[in-house]
Amino acid sequence: MHLFEKFLSVSAEDIGLRLLGCTVVEWLDFLLNPRRLRGSDFLMRWSQGVWSEERIVQAINDTTEFFAIPYGPSGAAPDKDIRSFELYFERLEKAGFGKNKRPDLLIFKNSSRETICNIVNSFGGINELPFIPESDDKVRKLLDRAILAVECENSLWKGKLMPDYGKELKPQKRLGGKLGLKKNAVLPTLILKEEDRKPLQEWQNMNNVPIHIWHAFYDIAFGISFSEVQKLINEGFILPTEQVFQSPGGVITKKLIYKIYYHHAYPLDSTIEEPRLQARFLEDKNGHILPYVHFEGGKMTLSEEALSVLRKAGNAKN
């Protein structure tokens, strides 16, 4: 699957728009790009992904202690329109970097800001960073100064309104008596794909930078260290589940994912301003129109728990 398709794949439970019993769907011929977007769910996935990552970076950069830069291809990609976003991934694929797994963000102490900015500018800016191999001396200098790497995830849910939010974990037979919730519980969880486990572990081992997963919902967000996730999985607290994903081009795939209860995580943010949802649309050269919901605005501040995690990581780097 093309990198662009893989990034914009949407899980079945996040696709809210269903067209049942239809034999003809006009937007199947939407000519926005070679892979043809199939509906507003994918555009909302893109818009929310961009929004959530920008809010996380904003919250980090608003502190007087830390700042963050996009490091993976999704964070460094153009975020103003979906076509530029797609062309960026096409360029990345052609350059041979499409299969490399990098965390989405790198976090540094604020005292390193000038040094890091100079290095990034020497590459031609943030958008060029994913095209520079990690063997490059300047990239090594970035990684040497990074205190934490973040893998960003997001979900199209209001976490606090999910039916099982707030319920306590109880011993579960399927977990061998370990604490959990019923299999079909609906609550905020942090997601890790099985296919990402080995690449992320190898990256963390090779670069000696701890990875955390930060998962943003519409109204709340949570964080957990990748090492803690590995421990929970290895000890049987979290079992894999099979999830169906659909790409913009219509390809259906099944993947094993791990859903980590938010109870195991730390609160990441305090939302002080929720985003605005605005109606937007795309129009192709033939006049076809595809409407979607765009996420805009909103603001968050890092929780004391998240700041404590960053301070601990910063002290460990000394």
Side-chain angles (χ1 to χ4, degrees):
M1 185 185 297
H2 191 281
L3 188 61
F4 174 81
E5 295 260 313
K6 182 179 179 180
F7 180 76
L8 281 189
S9 291
V10 179
S11 65
E13 66 184 29
D14 282 340
I15 297 179
L17 189 57
R18 298 284 190 266
L19 296 176
L20 302 179
C22 295
T23 56
V24 178
V25 182
E26 293 296 332
W27 66 40
L28 294 184
D29 294 324
F30 195 83
L31 301 178
L32 175 69
N33 60 62
R35 282 162 292 283
R36 300 183 180 184
L37 292 171
R38 298 241 169 174
S40 59
D41 293 294
F42 303 102
L43 291 173
M44 283 192 293
R45 169 74 172 84
W46 169 67
S47 179
Q48 194 206 22
V50 170
W51 168 81
S52 62
E53 201 160 307
E54 287 181 345
R55 294 290 69 73
I56 288 173
V57 171
Q58 162 259 306
I60 297 169
N61 291 353
D62 280 352
T63 71
T64 58
E65 300 174 68
F66 311 101
F67 75 102
I69 64 168
Y71 185 62
S74 60
D79 59 3
K80 299 306 179 185
D81 68 87
I82 190 68
R83 178 57 173 159
S84 297
F85 187 83
E86 182 212 9
L87 291 176
Y88 183 86
F89 275 92
E90 284 205 355
R91 180 188 165 206
L92 195 67
E93 192 90 0
K94 291 177 181 178
F97 291 96
K99 295 182 180 180
N100 291 351
K101 182 63 180 175
R102 295 185 179 184
D104 296 309
L105 304 176
L106 292 178
I107 302 179
F108 305 87
K109 292 182 179 179
N110 209 37
S111 57
S112 299
R113 184 186 291 267
E114 183 176 354
T115 300
I116 299 305
C117 289
N118 287 339
I119 293 174
V120 171
N121 289 337
S122 72
F123 294 140
I126 288 295
N127 289 356
E128 297 302 311
L129 189 51
F131 296 93
I132 311 299
E134 290 191 323
S135 58
D136 185 277
D137 288 343
K138 292 181 180 179
V139 176
R140 301 313 309 168
K141 290 180 180 179
L142 287 180
L143 296 173
D144 286 343
R145 288 178 174 267
I147 64 169
L148 202 76
V150 176
E151 185 74 357
C152 296
E153 298 289 344
N154 63 84
S155 295
L156 288 168
W157 292 83
K158 277 194 171 184
K160 293 179 181 178
L161 297 183
M162 298 177 80
D164 294 299
Y165 177 72
K167 291 187 177 180
E168 294 183 4
L169 301 181
K170 297 181 178 180
Q172 301 293 314
K173 183 177 180 180
R174 64 187 175 83
L175 298 177
K178 296 181 178 68
L179 296 179
L181 291 172
K182 59 185 180 180
K183 191 174 182 179
N184 61 346
V186 180
L187 74 161
T189 57
L190 295 83
I191 301 299
L192 173 66
K193 298 183 182 70
E194 171 62 33
E195 66 184 15
D196 290 338
R197 282 183 71 192
K198 184 178 179 180
L200 287 175
Q201 186 66 63
E202 291 177 345
W203 189 94
Q204 182 173 264
N205 293 343
M206 181 174 64
N207 296 294
N208 197 30
V209 179
I211 298 173
H212 282 230
I213 299 172
W214 287 7
H215 196 123
F217 294 79
Y218 183 89
D219 55 340
I220 51 178
F222 299 95
I224 189 171
S225 74
F226 177 71
S227 295
E228 179 64 19
V229 173
Q230 290 281 59
K231 181 180 177 182
L232 290 170
I233 294 172
N234 292 335
E235 294 181 356
F237 284 89
I238 303 296
L239 301 179
T241 59
E242 187 176 73
Q243 180 71 69
V244 176
F245 287 82
Q246 182 174 350
S247 73
V251 177
I252 303 294
T253 57
K254 293 182 179 180
K255 300 180 181 180
L256 289 180
I257 66 171
Y258 297 93
K259 298 181 177 182
I260 299 94
Y261 301 129
Y262 73 90
H263 307 72
H264 297 299
Y266 52 86
L268 180 61
D269 77 312
S270 299
T271 301
I272 58 178
E273 180 185 329
E274 289 192 349
R276 300 181 299 276
L277 301 185
Q278 299 185 340
R280 289 194 178 184
F281 68 90
L282 296 176
E283 180 179 344
D284 77 358
K285 62 182 180 180
N286 294 333
H288 286 188
I289 290 177
L290 182 64
Y292 69 100
V293 175
H294 174 71
F295 290 73
E296 186 173 282
K299 192 173 184 180
M300 60 182 273
T301 58
L302 292 187
S303 67
E304 282 301 316
E305 291 86 347
L307 286 171
S308 178
V309 166
L310 294 181
R311 288 165 185 155
K312 183 177 179 180
N315 291 334
K317 199 72 175 183
N318 290 336

